[in-house]
Amino acid sequence: MSASSGTLSDQQVRDRFLKETERNFSVIAPAGVGKTEAIVRRVIGMAGEPLPIARQKLSTLVVVTYTNRAAHEMQHRARNGMLESKADPELLASFNQAFFGTIHQFCFKLLRTYGHHLGLPSALEVLADEDALWLEFIRGLSDLPAGIADDTVEQCLRHLSATDLLAVGHRLPPGILIPQAPRPYPSLSFDSLLNHRPSTARSEHTVTTGQALVRQWLDALHSGLAPLPIPRYSKGDARFKECWNEAFTPLRRWLGESCAMVGARIADAFQAYRLSKGRLTYDDQIALAAQNLRSLGPASEDRS
């Protein structure tokens, strides 16, 4: 549809959308050009088709909108339009089976109906307080989830706390594809950094201060002090800054990848914990509904 509804070409497109109910359409239009009216008229148009076809279409109709208010408005207008056209009472009964609502409500409806195919409990509810359930989850952890190499976790905990590592899992969505095996802990070299000579007398103090910081960090690392975050330092001459990045980048990259792997396992375990209690986040509803439809196959997708 175009914004200029008065043009002949625009009216032809609108007519196709209203009458060709066997086709799928992608409608891109700005606000105020009549999208809601067109959808309502398309629904009413279905009621004018032969009775068996109309009943089948209306009873399996799904209208997804952004808000409940918009859904209720479209449903109300469509029903009134059918009443004004004196539609067959059987059609109104079929229309009452149609779904009008938000995408999350539709996904939740699918999961309540077919979620048992994914092993979901029959009693499902939208999670109101995720933070409270997260605390319950981590308090019940006797160990980190299976599938994480012990040495990887141990090495991650050399540089950040268990609380921070768990927080990575809390932030990540479940189902992330991760490598099967982590990279080995990097071999670190600080020779260029510690042997660097300031390029000017002006930078001598900042360079030697940075080198002292590195020596302290290495002493703490070798002594087993943990957690030991990667130090941050942005002073010194240009070459010293380059040496700093070269020295710590391998560790920073390894830590990011490994924490993501551990976090992904935690995210999956937290989702499993939520689902075992029948609690779904909004993201769970979308992801699990899609997974549910794939598991049921094309025939079941059509029925839903």
Side-chain angles (χ1 to χ4, degrees):
M1 296 183 186
S2 73
S4 53
S5 59
T7 65
L8 179 61
S9 61
D10 179 74
Q11 190 60 51
Q12 289 176 337
V13 173
R14 289 172 183 263
D15 290 342
R16 288 185 62 201
F17 178 75
L18 297 178
K19 298 175 182 178
E20 298 180 20
T21 57
E22 298 296 332
R23 293 176 59 100
N24 293 324
F25 287 86
S26 176
V27 180
I28 303 174
V33 298
K35 295 189 296 297
T36 298
E37 176 65 20
I39 293 172
V40 169
R41 290 179 60 192
R42 181 176 169 91
V43 174
I44 295 172
M46 292 178 184
E49 299 184 24
L51 186 60
I53 297 175
R55 290 191 62 186
Q56 191 276 332
K57 286 185 177 180
L58 292 175
S59 64
T60 58
L61 178 68
V62 173
V63 179
V64 172
T65 66
Y66 287 107
T67 66
N68 289 324
R69 180 179 178 181
H72 292 155
E73 179 187 351
M74 281 198 279
Q75 187 177 35
H76 178 72
R77 288 170 60 177
R79 181 182 287 108
N80 283 349
M82 293 174 63
L83 289 171
E84 290 172 2
S85 64
K86 302 190 183 323
D88 190 299
E90 292 186 23
L91 289 180
L92 291 172
S94 296
F95 176 79
N96 289 336
Q97 299 176 49
F99 174 86
F100 286 78
T102 66
I103 184 62
H104 291 103
Q105 289 173 329
F106 180 60
C107 289
F108 196 74
K109 175 182 173 68
L110 289 178
L111 293 173
R112 273 188 164 169
T113 305
Y114 302 108
H116 57 279
H117 290 282
L118 297 179
L120 297 179
S122 57
L124 297 175
E125 60 181 281
V126 178
L127 182 58
D129 189 349
E130 184 175 340
D131 290 338
L133 191 66
W134 169 255
L135 289 176
E136 181 182 311
F137 165 69
I138 61 176
R139 285 170 181 164
L141 281 178
S142 58
D143 200 355
L144 289 175
I148 306 172
D150 291 340
D151 58 342
T152 300
V153 175
E154 182 179 346
Q155 289 162 348
C156 286
L157 293 176
R158 296 172 70 182
H159 301 290
L160 75 167
S161 67
T163 299
D164 290 336
L165 187 56
L166 287 167
V168 174
H170 193 193
R171 290 193 298 268
L172 290 177
I176 294 178
L177 295 178
I178 58 175
Q180 292 298 315
R183 298 185 186 184
Y185 190 85
S187 176
L188 305 178
S189 175
F190 295 91
D191 291 344
S192 296
L193 185 61
L194 295 176
N195 294 329
H196 177 73
R197 294 292 177 264
S199 56
T200 64
R202 184 178 179 180
S203 62
E204 182 174 358
H205 175 70
T206 54
V207 167
T208 55
T209 299
Q211 290 171 334
L213 177 62
V214 171
R215 291 189 181 94
Q216 292 173 3
W217 186 84
L218 287 173
D219 289 342
L221 182 67
H222 295 150
S223 67
L225 181 65
L228 188 64
I230 298 175
R232 296 182 179 182
Y233 193 74
S234 59
K235 299 179 180 180
D237 55 36
R239 178 54 191 155
F240 183 76
K241 294 177 183 178
E242 291 177 4
C243 291
W244 187 283
N245 287 331
E246 291 169 0
F248 284 105
T249 291
L251 176 57
R252 188 178 295 109
R253 183 175 296 137
W254 177 90
L255 190 60
E257 293 175 356
S258 298
C259 287
M261 292 182 66
V262 176
R265 300 292 187 188
I266 295 169
D268 290 344
F270 181 43
Q271 184 190 52
Y273 184 78
R274 291 195 303 269
L275 300 187
S276 70
K277 294 183 172 295
R279 311 279 185 84
L280 304 179
T281 66
Y282 288 112
D283 289 342
D284 287 335
Q285 293 171 52
I286 299 291
L288 291 172
Q291 182 182 342
N292 208 171
L293 290 175
R294 287 193 296 268
S295 70
L296 292 170
S300 295
E301 286 186 38
D302 292 339
R303 286 197 300 272
S304 65

